[in-house]
Amino acid sequence: MQGGNSSGSSPDIDKALATQVDYRSSVAALVFLLYDICITIDDEVNFIWPKPWTRTKFLYLLIRYLPLFVQTSILTIGSPDLTPSFHFTPHDCFIWQVYQGVATVLVFAAVDCVLILRVFALYNNNRTMRRLVVVAFALEFGGMCVGLGLSLPGIQFDDICLTTSISSELLIYAGSTLLFQTFLFALTVFKFVQAVREGWGDTPLLSLVMRDGTWAFFLLFAVVAGDAALYGLKNHQFASVLYGWLLSVFSFAGYHVLLNLDRLNDAPRLATSESSTNDSPYQFTTRIVTDREQAAAYELRAFNARPSGSGHGG
């Protein structure tokens, strides 16, 4: 079935079609990301730039601009006009695949860190939960690295670096991400259900965390599963069609989660003077509360952690 000749088309026609589809998909993913960055740049200037350099600010900039850089650079591969003029060797194509694989691991890991910090905050930095999530993240990261390392030697290319054959070990890469995303989403849902039963599930920030966690999970799961399904097909000429979207969607989800928290933090809050705000500007309430300890217990301390001696929360 490789080559998609069931309709009688020639391999050259299939190759040209795959090249066009792959390239146009990459361009569309890049345009989508550029457009979203342009319409959210005001929020970045207002919320991100004034902050001191913390891990949150670093993660935000990495998630927002590394995929943009990678996607811009890879447009030279797969372009019907540009690629043939470069005369890539198989070794060049291999190095290019390593570059894309490492960049994807970095983006995935950065987005996972944002989602992990949210889970830590939801569980009030519970030591057992922190250890459990860290172990799960280490297993995911190890699975991605192992899957990438085992699959790279088996990837084959044509004269323009279009993938023609892959190793099934690459599915370990995707499977590790899918399992970890499902694990984090399950923890978020569990805490939300618990909060609803205890009567504080309607607090604005918890509602935001649940809402963003839900759409981000299904969006990320869909694009990773779709990309894995394409790599599982025998016709590998279309395997990389979703690669650009993989980067764009993870970038989109990661920085929107952080910007949405900043937008909520910027809204007027009546309980500021009644609850602890020393460690983080994010709280799970915008209403006057009578239990100061409960309000403080559910702060999002993990976000916008201030440098020692800082007099404000960003």
Side-chain angles (χ1 to χ4, degrees), residues 176-197:
S176 300
T177 300
L178 293 176
L179 288 174
F180 186 70
Q181 294 294 331
T182 303
F183 172 68
L184 291 182
F185 182 64
L187 291 179
T188 303
V189 172
F190 176 81
K191 177 57 69 173
F192 180 74
V193 171
Q194 183 184 55
V196 170
R197 289 177 177 175

Side-chain angles (χ1 to χ4, degrees), residues 116-130 191 194 200 206 276 279 282 284 293-302:
I116 287 171
L117 292 176
R118 289 154 48 93
V119 170
F120 285 172
L122 281 175
Y123 286 84
N124 197 30
N125 283 325
N126 178 272
R127 181 177 298 179
T128 301
M129 185 57 64
R130 287 174 64 93
K191 177 57 69 173
Q194 183 184 55
W200 54 276
L206 182 60
S276 172
D279 294 329
Y282 298 112
F284 278 108
E293 291 183 356
Q294 177 177 324
Y298 294 104
E299 288 188 61
L300 278 179
R301 296 185 180 90

Side-chain angles (χ1 to χ4, degrees), residues 1-313:
M1 295 295 293
Q2 184 169 345
N5 263 348
S6 58
S7 61
S9 59
S10 69
D12 288 340
I13 294 177
D14 289 336
K15 176 182 173 181
L17 176 62
T19 302
Q20 288 285 351
V21 171
D22 190 17
Y23 183 69
R24 291 179 181 180
S25 178
S26 297
V27 171
L30 177 59
V31 170
F32 165 79
L33 188 59
L34 276 171
Y35 172 77
D36 194 69
I37 288 176
C38 288
I39 64 176
T40 56
I41 191 66
D42 287 346
D43 288 333
E44 177 181 315
V45 172
N46 293 330
F47 299 136
I48 304 299
W49 290 8
K51 294 179 180 178
W53 279 99
T54 62
R55 62 181 174 183
T56 305
K57 185 172 183 177
F58 175 77
L59 285 173
Y60 172 88
L61 294 174
L62 178 67
I63 292 168
R64 189 159 164 101
Y65 293 109
L66 178 60
L68 185 65
F69 171 79
V70 174
Q71 289 194 74
T72 303
S73 66
I74 65 175
L75 284 182
T76 56
I77 303 298
S79 168
D81 300 319
L82 293 176
T83 305
S85 63
F86 285 108
H87 304 292
F88 289 110
T89 66
H91 180 71
D92 295 332
C93 294
F94 176 79
I95 296 300
W96 199 250
Q97 289 295 320
V98 171
Y99 162 67
Q100 294 181 70
V102 171
T104 306
V105 169
L106 289 176
V107 173
F108 280 22
V111 174
D112 285 342
C113 285
V114 171
L115 301 179
I116 287 171
L117 292 176
R118 289 154 48 93
V119 170
F120 285 172
L122 281 175
Y123 286 84
N124 197 30
N125 283 325
N126 178 272
R127 181 177 298 179
T128 301
M129 185 57 64
R130 287 174 64 93
R131 290 176 177 175
L132 179 62
V133 172
V134 168
V135 169
F137 176 65
L139 290 175
E140 182 215 18
F141 189 78
M144 287 193 298
C145 292
V146 168
L148 184 64
L150 292 177
S151 64
L152 281 174
I155 298 178
Q156 298 179 8
F157 319 93
D158 59 16
D159 56 336
I160 60 171
C161 287
L162 192 68
T163 302
T164 59
S165 179
I166 64 168
S167 172
S168 59
E169 282 81 3
L170 190 62
L171 296 179
I172 300 175
Y173 183 105
S176 300
T177 300
L178 293 176
L179 288 174
F180 186 70
Q181 294 294 331
T182 303
F183 172 68
L184 291 182
F185 182 64
L187 291 179
T188 303
V189 172
F190 176 81
K191 177 57 69 173
F192 180 74
V193 171
Q194 183 184 55
V196 170
R197 289 177 177 175
E198 294 177 358
W200 54 276
D202 61 343
T203 54
L205 192 52
L206 182 60
S207 299
L208 175 67
V209 168
M210 185 61 201
R211 185 200 71 189
D212 283 357
T214 300
W215 69 255
F217 166 73
F218 284 105
L219 185 62
L220 299 180
F221 191 97
V223 72
V224 173
D227 191 58
L230 287 175
Y231 275 105
L233 297 176
K234 291 184 178 181
N235 187 354
H236 297 301
Q237 289 184 339
F238 293 94
S240 58
V241 166
L242 288 180
Y243 177 73
W245 287 104
L246 203 66
L247 293 175
S248 288
V249 167
F250 266 78
S251 177
F252 173 87
Y255 67 71
H256 269 281
V257 164
L258 293 175
L259 287 178
N260 287 344
L261 285 168
D262 279 309
R263 292 188 189 103
L264 181 64
N265 178 55
D266 194 53
R269 289 172 303 184
L270 300 178
T272 302
S273 61
E274 293 294 328
S275 58
S276 172
T277 57
N278 291 332
D279 294 329
S280 169
Y282 298 112
Q283 299 171 258
F284 278 108
T285 180
T286 62
R287 302 174 301 180
I288 296 177
V289 293
T290 57
D291 189 339
R292 184 176 303 181
E293 291 183 356
Q294 177 177 324
Y298 294 104
E299 288 188 61
L300 278 179
R301 296 185 180 90
F303 290 97
N304 279 355
R306 294 172 296 174
S308 60
S310 175
H312 59 85

